[in-house]
Amino acid sequence: FTSDNGPEGAGTKGRTRGSTGGLRGRKRWSHEGGIRVPGLVEWPAMIKKPFVTEYAAVLSDWLPTLLDAAGITLPTDRTYDGISLLPMMTGKVKERGESIGFNCQGWDAWSADRYKIVKAGKKAEWELYDLKNDPFEEKNIIKEMPEVAKKMLKEWQIWADSCASE
């Protein structure tokens, strides 16, 4: 079970609809308030006791997860954005290890286990956040960590190019 990403912006009489729990952004934004959603998995045969995790996952992970659970290898004639969540569900891994890309009308993001780059609109500059220490994305650290940003921008560009070519 999961929800839709981010609440809408202003409602009637200027009131906002929904809450981001203090996270920055709204629906269609690439900040955490626009993309982070809760998820719940119930699978008694696989998940023996309940647990809570901060492990980032996306809907693209379900195809690799379901095929993995069925013992079916992913076809190799295409690329996949998702990864199998079984190692997380069985407690074998605590971090994703692979970044997640987002794009919506010029709002872009590349989110790794700790750091995330964000471009808040087509004409905006890239920003860098440390999600472990700053989950509310209040302090842009791109000037303090240019090498992290450069590496992530390169990875994001490869991902964005792959999306455009398929």
Side-chain angles (χ1 to χ4, degrees), residues 140-158:
N140 179 3
I141 58 172
I142 199 161
K143 290 184 174 150
E144 290 91 347
M145 304 191 78
E147 291 305 312
V148 170
K150 183 178 177 181
K151 177 183 180 290
M152 293 186 79
L153 283 166
K154 183 177 179 182
E155 292 171 358
W156 177 85
Q157 190 62 59
I158 292 168

Side-chain angles (χ1 to χ4, degrees), residues 73-88:
T73 304
L74 280 170
T76 58
D77 62 342
R78 67 199 79 174
T79 57
Y80 301 91
D81 286 337
I83 62 172
S84 175
L85 300 175
L86 288 186
M88 178 271 297

Side-chain angles (χ1 to χ4, degrees), residues 33-153:
I35 60 176
R36 187 184 288 201
V37 298
L40 172 71
V41 176
E42 183 177 347
W43 190 0
M46 176 61 65
I47 302 170
K48 303 297 183 189
K49 66 181 207 178
F51 67 94
V52 175
T53 181
E54 291 293 319
Y55 190 98
V58 291
L59 290 177
S60 300
D61 293 330
W62 285 111
L63 175 65
T65 302
L66 295 172
L67 290 179
D68 191 12
I72 300 170
T73 304
L74 280 170
T76 58
D77 62 342
R78 67 199 79 174
T79 57
Y80 301 91
D81 286 337
I83 62 172
S84 175
L85 300 175
L86 288 186
M88 178 271 297
M89 291 177 187
T90 58
K92 292 179 182 168
V93 299
K94 299 289 183 206
E95 291 188 328
R96 182 180 182 86
E98 291 191 28
S99 298
I100 302 170
F102 300 93
N103 172 273
C104 182
Q105 301 171 348
W107 287 73
D108 300 307
W110 187 248
S111 186
D113 289 322
R114 180 171 183 172
Y115 296 105
K116 176 180 166 192
I117 55 171
V118 176
K119 187 171 73 168
K122 292 179 183 178
K123 295 182 181 181
E125 297 290 324
W126 284 97
E127 303 166 359
L128 174 68
Y129 296 97
D130 179 344
L131 294 179
K132 297 273 188 212
N133 295 312
D134 181 20
F136 298 101
E137 298 170 303
E138 295 175 318
K139 184 175 184 333
N140 179 3
I141 58 172
I142 199 161
K143 290 184 174 150
E144 290 91 347
M145 304 191 78
E147 291 305 312
V148 170
K150 183 178 177 181
K151 177 183 180 290
M152 293 186 79
L153 283 166

